Amino acid sequence: MGQVFSSRRPPLPPQKIEAAGSSSDTLPEDIPWSTSSALDGLLTLTKAKGHYWYPNDGSRILDACGGAGVACIGHGRKEIIKAATNQMKECSYVSYAHFKTNAVQELSDWLIESTGGAMQKVYLMSSGSEAVEAALKLSREYHTWRGEPQRVNFISRSESYHGTTLGSLSASGHHTRRAPFSPLLSPTNFHKIPPCNPYRQPSSSPSEFLAARIAELESEFQRLGPDTVAAVLVEPIVGAALGCVPPVPHYLSALRSVCHRHGALLIFDEVMCGMSRAGTLHAWQSYNAVPDLQTIAKGFAGGYCPASALLVGSKIASLMTAEGKTFTHGHTYQNHPVVAAVALRVQKVIQEEGLLRNVQVQGRLLERLLTERLGGHRHVGDIRGKGLFWGVEFVKDRETKEPFEVEKQVAMRVFRCAMKSHGVLVYAGQGCAGEGKGDHIMVMPAYDVTSREVGKMVERIAAAVEEVLGR
Ligand SMILES: Cc1ncc(COP(=O)(O)O)c(C=O)c1O
């Protein structure tokens, strides 16, 4: 998916951000970009090395977001190239229906162990959307095995992004990404509750805030009929749709209690926030809440190949084993041996080099520097995140939290200015204030980022924010 979530449009002419009222808020010439897979209009990338991108206009761009939160150990690592080549020599492809391979077995064993056995089965796929789609379908099929075919409803949140396929997009709340397809997205089976976003949901106390969020879920169960709900799907830390918003304490475990009381499953979509991005290998490990199903992708193979997985919790897996049930689902490239070899090697590099610890240490530095440099800016409403997963939300007015007008494309302008004038790549998004409004950028450096690079990123990002929005 591209950086900002509207349909393709011609490049904006250089213009002023009226609300900023600064003397230097004229944008430099636009950088072309595309939200589709069409290639026209984009710069050609001739090289990516370490933490830098090298497009064909001669620039060298510091990567502060791993593309879409993917390139987590930098580019061009020889050990990963070797793992891919060795696997290709041994077996470059096999249908998951015909044989298993050592590569997939080793990766599955490693993943299951990484969850302390909470997850018991692994389906290896290519994209996050595929993993989410599979999670929705397996939830449904699980209930049919248990003799509860009436469980046809899914509950997710209004500001969320779970993927681009019709099922995963039906579960997503992201206004702009849904808009062109809304007649095709099932309103019958997919239902939304509000997000968990303390910045935009006023409350008199943390306990009142938590109680309100849980009451919203409970009332949705009651509205639908508790025994019709198959699963609740949430991102533990909301990525593209909200800009790195972590849950409040006890929120995820309270969701789990409500789901289980009503016989529904809990799915955590960790496509963006998982695989060490937020300072623990699995995001749920920070929150004492184990899901029934979990999706992973992005940092899983660090971008060295397309890799995602559905992890199946012990409750579902043990029923499958005990009753010999198989999931009616499969892709041509499922359990791809090269994907498995590469993903496992990426995870081993993260382990061998102690990069999870680096995520925690550099994450604290990133938080401190972003707060020092941008926390007082009159158009920065909120800075939030965890590990190396940080979002900066822009507002027109800090007091009222009023967002900028959508057409001003503020996050997009910061992104362009950062890339063109300050040589740093960030991930821009819109919709964090609800109904497509609200601008944010996401900062998601590689796990092997150095303190010096973190400092450089924040300086360059802050300079871009000031150039676009004034001081
Ligand atoms: C939380 C989440 N789920 C699912 C997806 C879809 O993944 P993909 O783009 O690999 O299909 C994304 C993509 O950004 C995501 O952030």
Side-chain angles (χ1 to χ4, degrees):
M1 205 66 190
Q3 288 278 333
V4 168
F5 322 119
S6 50
S7 55
R8 293 187 67 216
R9 65 191 70 210
L12 297 165
Q15 43 187 298
K16 291 221 161 221
I17 305 281
E18 285 151 33
S22 87
S23 56
S24 61
D25 53 2
T26 305
L27 274 178
E29 198 186 311
D30 274 331
I31 289 188
W33 65 286
S34 172
T35 54
S36 79
S37 55
L39 299 176
D40 41 303
L42 292 173
L43 293 174
T44 301
L45 190 74
T46 48
K47 191 170 83 170
K49 194 159 187 342
H51 299 151
Y52 283 89
W53 307 101
Y54 297 84
N56 65 345
D57 65 352
S59 59
R60 178 176 181 259
I61 296 163
L62 180 57
D63 183 11
C65 62
V70 174
C72 62
I73 57 167
H75 302 274
R77 283 201 179 234
K78 292 197 174 57
E79 60 272 54
I80 312 296
I81 297 166
K82 196 169 157 203
T85 327
N86 286 347
Q87 182 55 50
M88 282 181 191
K89 284 182 194 155
E90 190 179 303
C91 166
S92 54
Y93 167 77
V94 61
S95 168
Y96 74 94
H98 296 155
F99 298 101
K100 65 178 181 180
T101 55
N102 287 332
V104 172
Q105 186 70 59
E106 281 168 29
L107 176 68
S108 298
D109 293 346
W110 185 89
L111 277 169
I112 289 166
E113 200 186 322
S114 76
T115 66
M119 300 292 135
Q120 291 281 321
K121 275 186 191 296
V122 175
Y123 293 90
L124 182 63
M125 287 168 268
S126 307
S127 70
S129 303
E130 285 171 86
V132 170
E133 202 76 25
L136 297 170
K137 286 176 69 183
L138 182 54
S139 309
R140 160 69 189 158
E141 195 163 17
Y142 166 77
H143 291 299
T144 65
W145 294 330
R146 295 183 67 245
E148 296 196 68
Q150 81 286 357
R151 290 195 182 265
V152 293
N153 288 314
F154 293 90
I155 302 174
S156 54
R157 297 179 300 179
S158 51
E159 276 76 56
S160 59
Y161 182 61
H162 297 294
T164 197
T165 53
L166 290 177
S168 61
L169 193 58
S170 291
S172 305
H174 197 292
H175 194 263
T176 323
R177 292 182 184 187
R178 287 174 57 96
F181 311 104
S182 56
L184 310 180
L185 304 177
S186 166
T188 318
N189 306 102
F190 291 88
H191 312 275
K192 304 290 180 303
I193 57 169
C196 174
N197 182 7
Y199 176 64
R200 291 206 166 270
Q201 290 161 310
S203 177
S204 58
S205 70
S207 59
E208 195 230 52
F209 177 87
L210 178 63
R213 301 294 78 77
I214 298 311
E216 285 156 359
L217 178 62
E218 180 62 41
S219 86
E220 192 60 7
F221 265 95
Q222 296 306 330
R223 188 182 74 79
L224 296 167
D227 69 345
T228 70
V229 178
V232 171
L233 166 66
V234 297
E235 294 166 78
I237 304 174
V238 186
L242 276 184
C244 309
V245 174
V248 298
H250 313 300
Y251 173 76
L252 296 176
S253 52
L255 289 190
R256 184 182 151 94
S257 302
V258 175
C259 288
H260 289 183
R261 181 154 43 80
H262 293 305
L265 299 171
L266 179 62
I267 308 169
F268 283 168
D269 179 355
E270 297 213 359
V271 164
M272 202 170 210
C273 64
M275 299 316 286
S276 301
R277 170 59 61 197
T280 47
L281 178 50
H282 303 294
W284 55 260
Q285 288 167 331
S286 298
Y287 299 105
N288 195 26
V290 183
D292 298 304
L293 289 162
Q294 176 188 354
T295 57
I296 57 172
K298 299 206 187 253
F300 182 27
Y304 282 83
C305 62
S308 69
L310 170 64
L311 311 188
V312 181
S314 52
K315 182 164 71 183
I316 304 170
S318 51
L319 182 137
M320 293 174 83
T321 308
E323 299 191 11
K325 301 290 187 194
T326 49
F327 181 24
T328 314
H329 187 86
H331 292 282
T332 301
Y333 292 115
Q334 195 164 305
N335 288 352
H336 197 289
V338 180
V339 169
V342 167
L344 186 59
R345 197 70 204 99
V346 168
Q347 293 309 313
K348 290 281 169 73
V349 164
I350 293 170
Q351 256 179 349
E352 287 157 11
E353 297 185 8
L355 297 184
L356 185 54
R357 174 91 186 111
N358 197 52
V359 171
Q360 296 158 358
V361 171
Q362 300 303 337
R364 282 194 288 275
L365 178 66
L366 180 60
E367 174 181 14
R368 181 166 67 74
L369 295 182
L370 281 173
T371 309
E372 280 172 14
R373 200 58 183 76
L374 286 171
H377 192 284
R378 68 199 164 110
H379 291 302
V380 171
D382 194 30
I383 299 174
R384 65 288 177 117
K386 194 167 177 307
L388 285 174
F389 196 46
W390 283 86
V392 178
E393 179 167 341
F394 303 112
V395 287
K396 194 166 163 184
D397 184 322
R398 261 167 83 110
E399 289 303 309
T400 64
K401 303 183 182 175
E402 183 189 351
F404 281 105
E405 290 77 6
V406 173
E407 15 355 308
K408 285 200 169 131
Q409 296 271 311
V410 165
M412 191 61 193
R413 287 181 177 158
V414 171
F415 154 74
R416 284 180 169 145
C417 179
M419 181 161 151
K420 179 87 175 174
S421 303
H422 301 281
V424 64
L425 192 78
V426 296
Y427 189 98
Q430 257 189 336
C432 52
E435 298 185 345
K437 296 191 199 112
D439 291 87
H440 62 266
I441 54 164
M442 291 160 73
V443 187
M444 305 174 279
Y447 305 166
D448 55 347
V449 72
T450 62
S451 306
R452 200 157 161 266
E453 287 169 330
V454 170
K456 212 184 263 186
M457 284 171 192
V458 174
E459 267 318 307
R460 291 180 182 194
I461 292 166
V465 170
E466 288 170 357
E467 190 170 329
V468 173
L469 294 171
R471 282 181 176 270

